[in-house]
Amino acid sequence: MIADGLDDVFPKSSIEQSPLDRKINEYFPGAVVRKDLVNEVKGNAIVPTYVLEYLLGQFAATDVEAGIQEGIDKVRRILAEHYVHRNESELVKSRIREKGRFRIIDKVSVTFNEKEDVYQASFANLGISGVLVEPHTVLANEKLLVSGVWCMCDLEFFHSDDTKIVPWILGSLKPIQLSNFDFENYIEARAKFTTDEWIDLLIQSIGFNPEMFGRRAKLLQLIRLIPFVERNYNLIELGPKGTGKSHIYSEFSPHGMLISGGEITVPKLFVNNSNGRLGLVGYWDVVAFDEFAGKKKRTDKALVDIMKNYMANKSFSRGVETLGAEASMVFVGNTSHTVPYMLKHSDLFDELPESYHDSAYLDRLHFYIPGWEIDTIRGEMFSQGYGFVVDYIAEVLKSMRNLDYSDRYQKHFTLGSDISTRDRDGIHKTFSGLMKLLYPHEQASAEEIEEILRFAIEGRKRVKDQILRIDDTMTSVKFGYNSHAGQWIGVTTLEEEEYPAHYYQDRGHSGVEDDSAAPAERDVTPRHGTAIAESIDPLEEELFQGQRDFAENQRGISYESLFLPYLRGARIIKIHDPYIRMSHQGRNLVELLAAIAVEKDPADEVEVHLFTFIEENQIYREKQMAMLKEIHVRAGQQGIKLTLVSDPDGHDRWISTDTGWRINMGRGLDIFQKSEGGWFDFGSSHHEFRQVRAFGVTYIREIH
């Protein structure tokens, strides 16, 4: 969870506890751990975070520096001596044989051999199978039968001349999970924290630095936890790559299972009719589908149908009998277009496989997390503060799945009367989940309750509004609530406020307005200079052609004045510049791309092909590629599709467009003199205040 190299920047002995960290240790002694320790002890052990934090919780759950270091050393020794690396499996087998009995840490799965009427274990990293397991061990840990469990095991070796007998003997097996916790103490301790402190504690518990997130961003992160605390909760998150969508479901809890969306089958997920064995939904609290998006992905129609029934009714049938389960379903996937582009050309579910781009399936979703609002994960976003040991908070959340807080808003507010039963269920489940996460002690003010109620309504509204684009037989809903004073409060989504022209283009009315104003009566002026971009034909506008020269130290020059008039309306732009290597050159590129992004319609996309020289030196090449990759990601979020083309023989610098312009640039984008003024230098915000180097630009119209 912690970026490589962080320990070198922040030596452990120099970290000073914050007031919140001291408070956390005071009220949750032994149940918290400093979150940056995981990376320090992990090394090259490929184990989930909850396994490492289980060990740290056993030996380093303290705020005393000496105790922490002693605990870290002990966990390191345990991992070094007992964790099984795949490439050292033969060495571990030898230790078991020579010592007679040896403890290992490995992922264990169990199958039932019906021919011999025995349970047999397989060890993922050790590479052995067929090890006999006592029935009472399996019954006490049924997840061994599904996808395996990380365990501490004592293995013995006994050679036999009978080749049919497996020589490995399981002496003991202990799942790496918390054995017990005191829920009442958890509730009592919660009352000692303010809401802001508690939210920050939860954010630190999932590994992030709360100072790097705003209030809304924190709540979006915590929405990801609702499937762990709420039964049969159906959540979807679509957004750009690198925002940590799947991390929580793979690392945060031993009660969650992350699987690839293309690797699941009906028998594996629900029930195998041939042997009657229950699938993943019967054993896990959360089943998350990674890489779920992809229009061209092949899907099993039978899986889609049974999933729709399960998501709606909490039960499933495969022709033998009807079974029920409590697993929440989470669907995460990447988007390849910006929000305004999707709103203009399709809908916010556009990336889903065709079989799932279906109103009946989508209507089962309780909340849509707008993944485009979540920032790309960076090293400085990770926490060095204290948070709950993952296994502890996972057990707390699991225990609260039995509780229902969905009606706690009703003494203050009433949902709109035309909100349907399914919409109401979605709102209630999200509200209940947030109440359990933030206010398990049920001491929330009317303002705090209103905040999470609005959030719950917004997430369901995002689902319903997009369904209306897909299925015009669906009835539009006015989302909002009434206060007990009789005031009606409408709820909108953020993208609805940002891009009204595209949000309402296929709608007869907005469904949220306070006085039933139609979209034509609302301010739907396109943002970011759209009117200018669409009203000018760059081939017809009288633009200067020829050579322009600029003197050294001249001011008043900007990318906007030099290039934008010639780039307007272009859908494909090619930039030839062999020198995009250093950070200031990358900044120049970003500033040009930003100018293009501001000028275009937010719902349009522009392809930019960068032809440049790729460094040959490995160290410099890695830095250059990391910079260009970051620019690629950031540009994509603004509707600029940046592609990199290696141009080892390139020398000249020029820009060309699909609208027929070519701009030859003597210095390329590197026209400004170096500035050391920092953020308070006007030139850092506006090019016009910066002095330029001597350079020339030639404008050529290639199409007449």
Side-chain angles (χ1 to χ4, degrees), residues 573-575 593 596 606-610 640-643:
I573 299 173
K574 296 179 180 179
I575 301 175
L593 297 178
I596 296 171
V606 175
E607 294 181 25
V608 176
H609 304 284
L610 173 65
I640 305 293
K641 300 295 184 180
L642 178 66
T643 58

Side-chain angles (χ1 to χ4, degrees), residues 309-522:
N309 184 65
Y310 172 74
M311 291 167 65
N313 305 315
K314 310 171 189 176
S315 62
F316 53 92
S317 172
R318 293 205 64 207
V320 180
E321 61 178 322
T322 299
L323 302 171
E326 299 178 356
S328 294
M329 307 289 271
V330 179
F331 308 93
V332 297
N334 296 327
T335 54
S336 55
H337 298 288
T338 63
V339 171
Y341 182 95
M342 290 187 284
L343 291 174
K344 180 178 181 179
H345 298 283
S346 54
D347 56 77
L348 297 181
F349 289 114
D350 180 58
E351 301 285 349
L352 296 185
E354 185 177 351
S355 296
Y356 291 100
H357 197 262
D358 169 71
S359 60
Y361 159 75
L362 299 175
D363 205 24
R364 270 77 170 165
L365 298 171
H366 298 129
F367 196 99
Y368 186 147
I369 294 179
W372 49 86
E373 288 189 39
I374 297 175
D375 205 356
T376 304
I377 302 302
R378 307 182 304 278
E380 63 267 24
M381 296 170 71
F382 295 110
S383 174
Q384 292 196 328
Y386 283 81
F388 290 121
V389 172
V390 162
D391 204 43
Y392 172 82
I393 189 62
E395 293 304 316
V396 169
L397 301 186
K398 181 178 179 65
S399 71
M400 287 196 288
R401 287 169 73 88
N402 298 322
L403 305 177
D404 182 10
Y405 285 13
S406 62
D407 62 350
R408 301 305 195 267
Y409 70 90
Q410 293 178 0
K411 63 181 179 181
H412 302 288
F413 310 102
T414 306
L415 289 181
S417 58
D418 65 338
I419 293 179
S420 70
T421 299
R422 187 160 282 170
D423 294 328
R424 196 174 295 265
D425 287 344
I427 293 167
H428 280 174
K429 290 182 78 69
T430 302
F431 177 82
S432 178
L434 285 173
M435 277 293 295
K436 293 176 191 178
L437 289 169
L438 304 184
Y439 310 106
H441 58 328
E442 302 189 59
Q443 297 176 22
S445 67
E447 291 77 15
E448 290 170 333
I449 287 176
E450 184 176 18
E451 177 186 35
I452 62 175
L453 178 62
R454 289 183 64 88
F455 223 77
I457 295 173
E458 178 193 336
R460 175 58 190 179
K461 184 182 192 298
R462 183 172 292 109
V463 172
K464 193 60 172 283
D465 283 355
Q466 301 312 303
I467 292 175
L468 290 171
R469 288 171 168 256
I470 299 169
D471 185 352
D472 56 13
T473 66
M474 284 279 188
T475 303
S476 183
V477 177
K478 192 174 181 181
F479 281 92
Y481 55 96
N482 289 290
S483 69
H484 281 186
Q487 180 186 9
W488 167 257
I489 301 103
V491 174
T492 61
T493 66
L494 198 56
E495 58 272 13
E496 181 177 3
E497 297 294 329
E498 290 179 322
Y499 313 108
H502 304 302
Y503 199 90
Y504 300 122
Q505 62 179 3
D506 298 324
R507 299 276 297 279
H509 59 83
S510 71
V512 300
E513 60 283 349
D514 293 340
D515 52 6
S516 301
E521 299 171 9
R522 295 171 61 108

Side-chain angles (χ1 to χ4, degrees), residues 36 41 57 60 86 129 330 437 440 593 611 624 660 673:
D36 58 336
V41 302
R86 289 180 186 271
S129 58
V330 179
L437 289 169
L593 297 178
F611 296 78
Q624 180 190 25
Q673 296 185 27

Side-chain angles (χ1 to χ4, degrees), residues 45-209:
I46 308 174
V47 295
T49 298
Y50 64 80
V51 173
L52 295 175
E53 289 200 8
Y54 172 86
L55 297 173
L56 289 169
Q58 299 291 307
F59 305 109
T62 176
D63 60 346
V64 179
E65 193 65 33
I68 290 175
Q69 194 56 53
E70 183 180 345
I72 289 174
D73 293 341
K74 187 162 187 176
V75 172
R76 280 176 172 163
R77 287 196 302 271
I78 291 172
L79 288 175
E81 295 175 10
H82 302 289
Y83 172 76
V84 180
H85 294 271
R86 289 180 186 271
N87 60 350
E88 297 179 352
S89 59
E90 295 303 317
L91 176 60
V92 176
K93 291 177 186 177
S94 173
R95 286 178 180 171
I96 297 172
R97 179 188 183 280
E98 298 304 322
K99 293 188 176 184
R101 185 182 182 98
F102 188 72
R103 177 162 293 179
I104 66 169
I105 298 175
D106 202 349
K107 189 174 185 179
V108 183
S109 57
V110 171
T111 58
F112 176 61
N113 186 333
E114 54 265 37
K115 292 182 179 179
E116 299 182 15
D117 190 25
V118 294
Y119 291 103
Q120 297 174 321
S122 298
F123 293 76
N125 290 354
L126 191 58
I128 63 175
S129 58
V131 182
L132 296 181
V133 185
E134 292 295 329
H136 67 84
T137 300
V138 177
L139 293 176
N141 305 280
E142 291 186 328
K143 287 181 183 176
L144 290 167
L145 291 166
V146 189
S147 298
V149 177
W150 283 91
C151 302
M152 287 186 178
C153 304
D154 288 325
L155 276 180
E156 302 175 8
F157 180 84
F158 180 78
H159 177 72
S160 172
D161 293 332
D162 187 348
T163 56
K164 295 182 179 179
I165 298 177
V166 176
W168 306 103
I169 301 171
L170 182 62
S172 67
L173 180 147
K174 184 182 187 310
I176 296 181
Q177 290 179 235
L178 195 70
S179 58
N180 58 73
F181 72 99
D182 190 331
F183 184 67
E184 293 303 320
N185 282 347
Y186 174 83
I187 295 297
E188 291 176 8
R190 164 61 186 96
K192 307 295 184 182
F193 291 77
T194 67
T195 298
D196 288 340
E197 288 174 337
W198 187 255
I199 289 175
D200 287 355
L201 168 53
L202 292 177
I203 293 296
Q204 288 186 177
S205 296
I206 60 179
F208 291 124
N209 178 1

Side-chain angles (χ1 to χ4, degrees), residues 27-40:
Y27 290 106
F28 291 101
V32 295
V33 68
R34 207 173 68 201
K35 288 294 172 170
D36 58 336
L37 300 183
V38 173
N39 189 63
E40 186 171 351

